[in-house]
Amino acid sequence: MGGSGSKGKGYWPFSGSGGGDEPVKDEQSLARVRSIRNTTPFVFTRRSSLYFDEDGDLAHEFYEETVVTKNGRKKAKLKRIHKNLIPQGIIKLDHPCIHVDFPVVICEV
């Protein structure tokens, strides 16, 4: 029902324990639980929703103008381009944001 799904994967990044009721069995899980305790509630990077096209232009969506002939009349239409687009990737945020799963009320009205 929405959310990032981090609770469903068996760990909760902002708690002191692994989040599950079962005990930690192997060294890798134990290392993950130890490293989770040191996480910060801030997010410094995010995945960009922008794409590069073949010309190097950067945008959310790209369109191409096509001419359609119907009943002897020419009509210009825009066709969305889906191929040959390269995602911008991970970008650094100007100001850190608070993680969506942070379990503390920051300000109460």
Side-chain angles (χ1 to χ4, degrees), residues 2 5 8 15-16 25 34 36 42-43 45 49 51 55 59 61 67 69 75 77 79-80 92 95 103 107:
S15 66
K25 296 178 182 173
R34 285 183 185 159
I36 287 172
F42 298 108
V43 177
T45 59
S49 60
Y51 293 90
D55 300 330
E61 299 173 338
V67 177
T69 305
K75 185 177 180 182
K77 283 192 162 190
K79 180 181 175 185
R80 187 169 177 193
K92 187 175 182 262
H95 305 286
C107 178

Side-chain angles (χ1 to χ4, degrees), residues 10-11 16 29 41 46 49 62 84 94 97-98 109:
Y11 65 93
S29 297
R46 70 172 178 88
S49 60
F62 289 94
N84 299 327
D94 294 333
C97 297
I98 295 178
V109 180

Side-chain angles (χ1 to χ4, degrees), residues 5 22 38 47-48 54 57 61 64 77 84:
E22 68 277 347
N38 298 330
R47 184 179 301 162
S48 176
E54 298 141 342
D57 295 329
E61 299 173 338
E64 166 182 55
K77 283 192 162 190
N84 299 327

Side-chain angles (χ1 to χ4, degrees), residues 5-109:
S6 61
K7 288 183 187 178
K9 293 181 183 173
Y11 65 93
W12 178 241
F14 303 107
S15 66
S17 66
D21 294 335
E22 68 277 347
V24 177
K25 296 178 182 173
D26 59 353
E27 292 178 19
Q28 203 171 32
S29 297
L30 184 60
R32 184 180 73 195
V33 171
R34 285 183 185 159
S35 69
I36 287 172
R37 289 182 185 166
N38 298 330
T39 60
T40 176
F42 298 108
V43 177
F44 298 100
T45 59
R46 70 172 178 88
R47 184 179 301 162
S48 176
S49 60
L50 298 173
Y51 293 90
F52 289 105
D53 70 346
E54 298 141 342
D55 300 330
D57 295 329
L58 185 65
H60 288 283
E61 299 173 338
F62 289 94
Y63 292 91
E64 166 182 55
E65 188 175 4
T66 58
V67 177
V68 178
T69 305
K70 188 174 183 181
N71 295 334
R73 296 179 60 193
K74 290 184 179 180
K75 185 177 180 182
K77 283 192 162 190
L78 293 177
K79 180 181 175 185
R80 187 169 177 193
I81 299 174
H82 295 282
K83 296 180 181 179
N84 299 327
L85 297 179
I86 303 166
Q88 186 181 14
I90 304 295
I91 59 171
K92 187 175 182 262
L93 297 173
D94 294 333
H95 305 286
C97 297
I98 295 178
H99 195 277
V100 126
D101 290 333
F102 191 60
V104 176
V105 176
I106 303 283
C107 178
E108 202 170 306
V109 180

